[in-house]
Amino acid sequence: MKRFVYADNAATTPVSREVLDAMLPCFERDFGNPSSQHSLGIEAKDILDDARARIAAVLGCRADEIYFTSGGTESDNWAIKGAAMRMRAKGRTHIVTSKIEHHAVLHTCEALEKEGFEVSYVGVDSDGVVDLNELRSVVTDKTAVVAIMYANNEIGTIEPIEEIAEIAHAKGALCFTDAVQAVGNVDIDLSKSGVDMLALSGHKLHAPKGIGLLYIRKGVVISNLIEGGGQEKRKRGGTENLPYIVGLARALEIAKEKMPDLERVAAMRDRLIEALTAIPYSSLNGHRTKRLPGLVNVGFEFIEGESMLMWLDMAGICASTGSACSSASLDPSHVLLATGVPHERAHGSLRLSLSHDTTDADVDYIIENVAPIVEKLRNMSPLWEDVVKNKK
Ligand code: PLP
């Protein structure tokens, strides 16, 4: 029987009922502007302070280290541009990032190159783990910031972020991590991670789209990206999006409470990996164990990922080939190419991203559907015909 299975949680997640319930009073009753001097404004300011404190408790940082933004893209832009602009005055005009970052980071770095900054793009191994030796060799006392993601959004590999921070700090550079995919899926304790800045986004963890934050460790000073009023300690102008901030706080608390359930999610992920890599001419993309608990990325030779998505969609399964933000482009994934996957194979990848809402029956349904779709598409491929002929 046809089911609906949402397996694209790395692209976005539905807002959970509990998060929505927490937000609703801020639209109707507690709608004041936290900067207003009257009682409604003071009440809104209390709600804002409370949300910030609760988020700090979840992340293991101080409340005054959290700055609300419109999401992951803004946080990435702010951290890197803000650090680059600030550190330029100290003669630091070099930025280090990796080849597998999200475009919010890569395009920010490219924009800074046009402003005269030099950028080093560090490579990764075949599992997508950043090459620490290369990193050590490129970070110098001219480096302003090392920007490397906590976990990759396409292949799910988790990076050795504590070591990356140590390498950055050894040369006096700042360390920023885009943790948009990691938060909610990895238990992050900012008091131990060693990073100076961290970006997260609400819509990846059952809060709405358009809310995120940048953690900036106390004592670290970066330039502003968005000028305006005195909000966020004069570091990020704009009236605070109180309902969404309250939603983000609740979503982070729920994600923390549900950490033990990630074992179940990881077991479903492993079952999918086992079943899908048993299909001939398929292989896992990303690290086998150092990976996000809900993320599966499998490459199938002799087929186009986009065709597979269409057939899966007709079967009621929402999946993706890589990152949603670059899905309009038919270029092969820069992440897969960086791991050494050849062009022709990089086109046949399938990303399935699970969540706490995913069930074993959903996983069974995906498994039942993928193999026949792969077979059907291969039977239409002239390249596959050659493989079959050569085997005879
Ligand atoms: N960074 C990573 C790793 C992501 O996966 C995404 C979204 O897919 C972003 C940044 C952008 O976040 P947002 O959609 O909140 O702007």
Side-chain angles (χ1 to χ4, degrees), residues 126-172:
S126 57
D127 290 330
V129 179
V130 165
D131 181 337
L132 293 182
N133 287 330
E134 188 186 345
L135 183 68
R136 261 183 221 102
S137 72
V138 298
V139 179
T140 69
D141 56 10
K142 287 257 181 282
T143 307
V145 59
V146 173
I148 293 186
M149 65 203 325
Y150 206 112
N152 184 267
N153 48 302
E154 291 189 31
I155 57 174
T157 299
I158 297 172
E159 301 298 340
I161 210 69
E162 287 173 29
E163 283 163 273
I164 291 168
E166 272 173 28
I167 294 170
H169 292 158
K171 297 284 179 185

Side-chain angles (χ1 to χ4, degrees), residues 10-12 70-74 76 101-105 149 151-154 178-181 200-204 209-212 323-325 351:
T12 197
S70 64
T73 301
E74 183 190 326
D76 286 350
E101 298 298 309
H102 189 271
H103 284 125
V105 168
M149 65 203 325
N152 184 267
N153 48 302
E154 291 189 31
D178 170 343
V180 167
Q181 293 291 338
L200 70 84
S201 173
H203 74 103
K204 309 290 183 177
K209 295 157 189 65
I211 185 70
S323 118
C325 317
R351 180 184 74 176

Side-chain angles (χ1 to χ4, degrees), residues 38 50 62 68 105 126 154 231 288 331 345 380:
H38 47 67
D50 175 65
R62 300 164 51 112
F68 294 110
V105 168
S126 57
E154 291 189 31
Q231 296 89 355
R288 179 65 192 84
D331 291 338
R345 263 185 38 211
M380 295 176 192

